[in-house]
Amino acid sequence: MAQPLMPHATASWLVDNTSLSFEQIAEFCGLHILEIQAIADDTAATKLTGRDPVRAHELTMEEIEKGQADPDYTLKMLKGPEQVRRTKGPRYTPVSKRQDKPDGIAWILRHHPEISDGAIGKLIGTTRTTIAAIRDRSHWNIANITPKDPVTLGLTSQRELDALVAKAAKAAGIEAPTDTRLEGDREALIEQLRAERTAAAHAAEAGEAGEEAGPVEHTAETLFRQ
């Protein structure tokens, strides 16, 4: 069921200017009856300025009169507020990251030439004209564009990029490349976590013994013992 554009303000106006029941107002405004009670008792967090749904063309006086005559009557909205819908087109990118788009586009063009310009545009949120300018190096800022992973730049997620690469590779009849960039980092992270866990265990033992934990010497044996 459609609801008024400003439900709390509309409820305040209906409470002050009609004899509709709280249940009717709550149902029409899409609010809980306790919220209507609070508005009526002026115990809401802020004093609301009423919004006339009749002047807003959301409710007619005839509907209000029907509701006042019959407490079980359900008010019918004259029309619902216009809903803002996202139109098709490039995704929205925060202003702070828009300057990074050319770097992300350049990275995709270099590492995944099989991805179409249309797919890049949807992924990054850019136009075919910009992509073409970066590809043929006619972009106005080409001297300062450095290919950078769009995932690292925060322009897309790794999952979205991987899915796009796999789809483009399949369409081109080639095998999707395996991303091994993080393998070394992953091993280093595991080593670091093991070392931190060992250090924490030694610190706990020293604390139980009433000693101040000192520097911990790590060996291959202590790192992989856990």
Side-chain angles (χ1 to χ4, degrees):
M1 179 179 176
Q3 297 174 358
L5 184 62
M6 301 174 64
H8 289 87
T10 300
S12 179
W13 188 92
L14 291 173
V15 167
D16 292 339
N17 296 278
T18 73
S19 59
L20 294 168
S21 68
F22 289 171
E23 289 83 355
Q24 288 173 307
I25 298 174
E27 184 174 2
F28 177 74
C29 295
L31 302 173
H32 194 282
I33 190 172
L34 293 180
E35 292 183 90
I36 307 303
Q37 181 70 58
I39 291 172
D41 295 341
D42 286 337
T43 57
T46 57
K47 177 61 179 176
L48 297 168
T49 299
R51 179 175 185 268
D52 186 349
V54 178
R55 294 186 61 184
H57 303 292
E58 295 175 343
L59 191 62
T60 63
M61 282 304 303
E62 288 75 16
E63 278 294 297
I64 293 176
E65 290 170 358
K66 289 180 182 178
Q68 292 178 145
D70 180 7
D72 296 324
Y73 181 77
T74 299
L75 299 173
K76 297 180 179 61
M77 180 172 285
L78 184 61
K79 69 162 187 169
E82 293 295 328
Q83 298 295 321
V84 178
R85 294 181 175 85
R86 185 183 185 278
T87 57
K88 291 184 178 180
R91 69 167 64 192
Y92 172 78
T93 304
V95 175
S96 61
K97 294 187 178 297
R98 291 179 191 176
Q99 62 185 9
D100 296 329
K101 284 185 178 184
D103 292 346
I105 295 169
W107 187 93
I108 295 177
L109 291 175
R110 171 181 291 184
H111 295 279
H112 299 289
E114 71 277 9
I115 300 179
S116 69
D117 288 2
I120 295 175
K122 290 181 179 179
L123 181 72
I124 302 297
T126 189
T127 65
R128 292 173 185 266
T129 302
T130 300
I131 298 171
I134 295 174
R135 177 185 283 107
D136 62 23
R137 301 189 65 78
S138 63
H139 191 278
W140 67 272
N141 194 36
I142 193 64
N144 297 314
I145 294 177
T146 304
K148 295 179 182 177
D149 189 338
V151 175
T152 303
L153 294 174
L155 297 172
T156 186
S157 68
Q158 189 65 55
R159 178 177 297 180
E160 288 178 310
L161 180 59
D162 289 345
L164 186 59
V165 170
K167 183 178 180 180
K170 182 178 180 181
I174 60 177
E175 184 177 353
T178 302
D179 189 351
T180 59
R181 290 170 299 164
L182 297 178
E183 286 186 356
D185 291 341
R186 186 179 296 111
E187 292 300 325
L189 178 60
I190 292 175
E191 294 277 355
Q192 180 182 348
L193 291 175
R194 285 174 175 169
E196 290 178 354
R197 187 170 59 180
T198 301
H202 281 292
E205 291 174 359
E208 290 178 359
E211 301 173 357
E212 183 177 353
V216 179
E217 294 292 334
H218 295 297
T219 64
E221 180 180 357
T222 61
L223 286 175
F224 293 95
R225 184 175 55 191
Q226 300 293 327

